[in-house]
Amino acid sequence: MKTGILLAALCAAATTVCAQNASLKNAEPVLLPDTPVIAEPTEPAPGAAWSLDDCIGYALHNNISVQQRALQIERNSIDLSTSRFSRLPSLNASAGADASFGRVLSSDNTYKEKNQTSGSLNVSASMPLFQGMRINRQIKAGKLNLAAAVQDLEKAREDVSINIMTLYLDVLYNKELVGVAERQLALSTQQAARSRALAAAGKQPESAVYESDALEAKDRLTLTQARNDLRLALLDLSQALNRESAAGFDIVEPALDSMTLASLHRLGSVEDVYAYAAENRPHIRAERLRLEGSEHSVAVARADLYPSLSLSGGYGTGIYSADKDKFWAQMRHNSREYVGVSLDIPIFNRRAARNNISKAQIAVRSQQLAVTEAERDLRKQIEQAWYNADAAYAKYHSAEAASASAKVAFAYEEQKAEAGRSTIFDFNDAKTRMEKAESEAVQAKYEFVFRSKVLDFYRGKPLQL
């Protein structure tokens, strides 16, 4: 009968908790975004070139920072689970045995002069009924912290993607510089052969041959350096992917013609880009979620000012060697059950609760400043990205025009050299100016591609070439 009363009391308490859960569901919901799943990347076949998508996908799966952010999500999920299960009753059991000598307490609650062995078995349960809405607020704060951790993971993924794209463009830039150096070496080799022929015919002095050979040797050195720079750029990209070795690693070279670059110049307005980024950039959303979570932390701190109500119950029994009854009879006769309700009313705790509330309110103001700072930094970054992209496009157009003019000037000088009417110094000067103009055009092109892709990133467009 007593056990039935205990079970009935616990069931009533469970009904109370269910009612609290229902009231929480009817309150303002806190929606959790889906946790991003990093799919297993498909590595290109050995010897095949890697595209930008291949590189980004592989890096996201193997990057340590991204994996650490994913582990933080798991930790926040566990914290949220702990808060949710704190509503449920706690159940504990204990068993013990002891031996007493001399004057001991017997089963009939009297003391006797005898040696005795005894054993005990206890089961107890307790359930929080009301704690100033602490648990509900902790659950809401846990959901917001989990959502912020998901946004932190997205921010880490974006940082990795931007870094990989930067290294990818650096490889493409060095590939084009190798092409420029190869073309310059071919021209130098051709000029050296021409100088030897003209010198043999007596149309040029022998010194022109030595000058041409020196120019060829210089361009060969430039090509060697360009190829070394390309190998180092590929090594940097391979290491950023966390590949075991850079041997045989190469990338796909996308077509970046003038029409493609012109399409990248559709920059939009700064206000439009900022309006989208302020609502969708992960680090902004994470800071706002943390602000909302800190506001719930104030409510959690306020719970210490309210009374707390809890229900407890238990069952215990014991056996004694001095008792003449058998084991199971003693288990029944010595059993006891209890149900209790405890009310804890805070009266004075040396201002600890009030100070905790003040600290939580300060944390809210601090997080408000963090949100403001993040939004201002985002606007600065977008304005810089927009103006840099626009300036880079103008620089690219100017560099292309300069390169075209230098090529025309060199073509005239080359015709004069073929006719033997140009000195090696004039030829070298025209060739050097063309080489410099080509290199500057290549640099301006990839600077514009990078700047425009950064701006596309703020507009939510995928990083693709």
Side-chain angles (χ1 to χ4, degrees):
M1 182 64 180
K2 294 179 180 178
T3 305
I5 295 175
L6 174 62
L7 292 176
L10 291 176
C11 289
T15 304
T16 303
V17 173
C18 291
Q20 290 181 355
N21 293 348
S23 65
L24 179 60
K25 291 180 180 178
N26 293 330
E28 182 181 356
V30 180
L31 299 179
L32 290 178
D34 294 333
T35 302
V37 177
I38 304 176
E40 183 75 25
T42 302
E43 185 175 346
W50 291 54
S51 67
L52 179 60
D53 288 340
D54 294 332
C55 292
I56 291 177
Y58 191 90
L60 291 178
H61 189 269
N62 293 278
N63 184 265
I64 300 299
S65 177
V66 171
Q67 294 175 8
Q68 289 175 338
R69 291 298 183 182
L71 291 177
Q72 183 60 45
I73 290 178
E74 294 185 25
R75 284 191 287 268
N76 284 94
S77 298
I78 294 173
D79 291 340
L80 177 58
S81 176
T82 301
S83 298
R84 281 173 167 164
F85 280 98
S86 63
R87 289 180 174 140
L88 301 180
S90 62
L91 182 63
N92 298 283
S94 63
D98 59 71
S100 302
F101 308 95
R103 189 172 178 82
V104 298
L105 183 65
S106 63
S107 60
D108 57 2
N109 204 31
T110 61
Y111 284 93
K112 298 180 180 180
E113 293 288 344
K114 61 189 321 183
N115 296 338
Q116 176 181 266
T117 58
S118 62
S120 63
L121 174 65
N122 295 281
V123 179
S124 62
S126 63
M127 173 185 290
L129 299 181
F130 178 75
Q131 291 185 331
M133 300 298 291
R134 176 195 301 274
I135 297 177
N136 292 347
R137 294 297 186 180
Q138 286 177 336
I139 292 174
K140 284 188 175 182
K143 288 181 178 180
L144 291 167
N145 290 335
L146 175 58
V150 172
Q151 296 302 318
D152 288 338
L153 173 60
E154 279 299 310
K155 175 64 166 55
R157 288 163 57 87
E158 287 185 347
D159 290 344
V160 171
S161 300
I162 286 289
N163 183 52
I164 294 302
M165 185 196 70
T166 303
L167 295 174
Y168 195 94
L169 290 175
D170 190 48
V171 173
L172 293 177
Y173 169 64
N174 281 281
K175 278 180 174 286
E176 290 215 24
L177 289 185
V178 169
V180 171
E182 288 175 343
R183 291 192 296 272
Q184 295 299 318
L185 178 59
L187 292 173
S188 298
T189 303
Q190 182 180 1
Q191 175 60 21
R194 184 185 301 119
S195 295
R196 284 191 288 271
L198 291 174
K203 295 182 179 181
Q204 276 190 353
E206 190 69 22
S207 60
V209 177
Y210 299 120
E211 292 289 344
S212 298
D213 290 342
L215 178 60
E216 181 183 7
K218 173 181 173 296
D219 287 343
R220 194 176 300 279
L221 176 62
T222 301
L223 176 59
T224 301
Q225 183 62 48
R227 286 173 175 170
N228 287 337
D229 292 341
L230 174 59
R231 281 194 289 268
L232 290 175
L234 284 169
L235 176 62
D236 289 341
L237 178 57
S238 178
Q239 290 178 343
L241 298 179
N242 286 330
R243 298 177 72 248
E244 293 184 359
S245 172
F249 177 68
D250 201 2
I251 65 171
V252 176
E253 299 181 45
L256 295 174
D257 52 25
S258 57
M259 293 183 62
T260 302
L261 295 176
S263 66
L264 294 177
H265 192 236
R266 298 166 186 169
L267 305 180
S269 67
V270 173
E271 294 299 329
D272 291 341
V273 176
Y274 175 75
Y276 177 87
E279 294 298 323
N280 295 278
R281 287 274 61 81
H283 70 287
I284 299 295
R285 297 173 67 178
E287 295 297 343
R288 290 172 178 170
L289 288 167
R290 290 192 180 95
L291 174 59
E292 191 175 350
S294 65
E295 292 170 349
H296 285 291
S297 296
V298 176
V300 172
R302 288 186 185 279
D304 291 336
L305 300 177
Y306 294 92
S308 60
L309 182 66
S310 59
L311 172 68
S312 60
Y315 168 83
T317 187
I319 57 172
Y320 303 88
S321 61
D323 199 319
K324 297 180 180 181
D325 291 338
K326 294 183 178 180
F327 178 84
W328 291 111
Q330 289 192 53
M331 292 285 288
R332 289 192 302 271
H333 297 159
N334 297 332
S335 65
R336 59 194 179 278
E337 299 89 10
Y338 70 91
V339 176
V341 177
S342 62
L343 179 65
D344 185 12
I345 302 175
I347 297 177
F348 180 70
N349 57 4
R350 300 180 295 276
R351 290 194 61 83
R354 293 290 182 182
N355 288 337
N356 288 336
I357 293 172
S358 298
K359 289 167 62 177
Q361 291 172 338
I362 292 174
V364 170
R365 296 200 299 270
S366 177
Q367 188 58 36
Q368 287 172 341
L369 294 175
V371 172
T372 301
E373 183 181 22
E375 291 173 346
R376 289 178 179 175
D377 288 344
L378 177 64
R379 186 172 187 87
K380 291 178 183 177
Q381 293 168 3
I382 289 175
E383 288 180 348
Q384 291 174 354
W386 193 93
Y387 286 106
N388 285 335
D390 193 49
Y393 188 69
K395 180 181 178 181
Y396 163 70
H397 260 301
S398 300
E400 280 288 299
S403 178
S405 299
K407 288 179 180 178
V408 172
F410 176 75
Y412 281 112
E413 194 64 35
E414 189 175 27
Q415 290 176 359
K416 291 171 62 179
E418 290 176 353
R421 293 183 290 106
S422 173
T423 66
I424 187 62
F425 300 104
D426 293 335
F427 179 87
N428 187 24
D429 181 63
K431 177 178 168 299
T432 300
R433 283 188 281 109
M434 182 180 69
E435 179 183 5
K436 180 181 178 182
E438 283 187 329
S439 299
E440 289 177 347
V442 171
Q443 181 183 9
K445 179 173 74 171
Y446 283 103
E447 181 182 358
F448 168 66
V449 171
F450 173 74
R451 300 295 184 186
S452 63
K453 286 301 176 181
V454 169
L455 197 61
D456 284 345
F457 156 75
Y458 285 118
R459 292 189 291 187
K461 293 185 178 181
L463 296 175
Q464 296 177 344
L465 293 175

